[in-house]
Amino acid sequence: MNELFILLVIAVLVIGPKRLPEYTQKLTNIVREVRRMASGAREQLKEETGVDLDEVDWRKYDPRQYDPRKIIRDALLEDNTPAPTSTAAAPTAAEAASPSPSGEAAVAPLRVAERLAPGQPAPFDSDAT
């Protein structure tokens, strides 16, 4: 508020009290024109896209929600408890590969990740690096 008051005092001193009403009227006209143009742009956007800007959820477009620290924190705090499994045992790889009694081949099992023994170095592929 103090800054606005200081700017008004400076404007009165620089412009002078005789020309101040003229410049105030020009400023008022400029503000009205900018508001009219903004309203026209809003209406044109609504006509062309069919989206009313008042109905847009702007929180969805907030870039602060894509903060990597927040994403990692949310991922670490997620509850990752496994769903209860059924009492039936999963078929072994040999059972899954063999044809069923009806003659149809069973679906191949997913690839199982192999774990290395403690202290064993990871495999290195010189062609891939």
Side-chain angles (χ1 to χ4, degrees):
M1 186 68 180
N2 292 333
E3 296 87 9
L4 182 62
F5 181 71
I6 292 172
L7 287 174
L8 288 174
V9 170
I10 292 173
V12 169
L13 293 175
V14 171
I15 295 174
K18 292 181 181 177
R19 294 185 296 178
L20 190 60
E22 176 187 342
Y23 282 96
T24 304
Q25 184 63 36
K26 288 181 180 180
L27 180 64
T28 304
N29 291 339
I30 289 172
V31 169
R32 282 187 190 143
E33 185 67 19
V34 167
R35 283 186 180 172
R36 187 191 60 76
M37 289 183 346
S39 176
R42 178 181 288 250
E43 290 300 319
Q44 183 179 0
L45 182 67
K46 183 178 179 181
E47 289 174 9
E48 292 179 3
T49 63
V51 176
D52 188 10
L53 294 177
D54 296 330
E55 297 173 0
V56 174
D57 182 17
W58 293 106
R59 291 176 288 161
K60 180 170 58 170
Y61 301 110
D62 186 9
R64 292 176 290 191
Q65 70 179 339
Y66 301 113
D67 181 20
R69 295 171 294 195
K70 181 183 180 299
I71 294 170
I72 291 171
R73 184 180 337 110
D74 291 346
L76 291 175
L77 295 177
E78 259 182 13
D79 185 21
N80 290 333
T81 56
T85 58
S86 65
T87 56
T92 62
E95 292 172 349
S98 67
S100 63
S102 63
E104 299 174 6
V107 177
L110 297 175
R111 183 174 171 197
V112 179
E114 299 176 19
R115 296 217 177 251
L116 299 174
Q120 183 181 1
F124 181 76
D125 186 2
S126 60
D127 292 335
T129 56

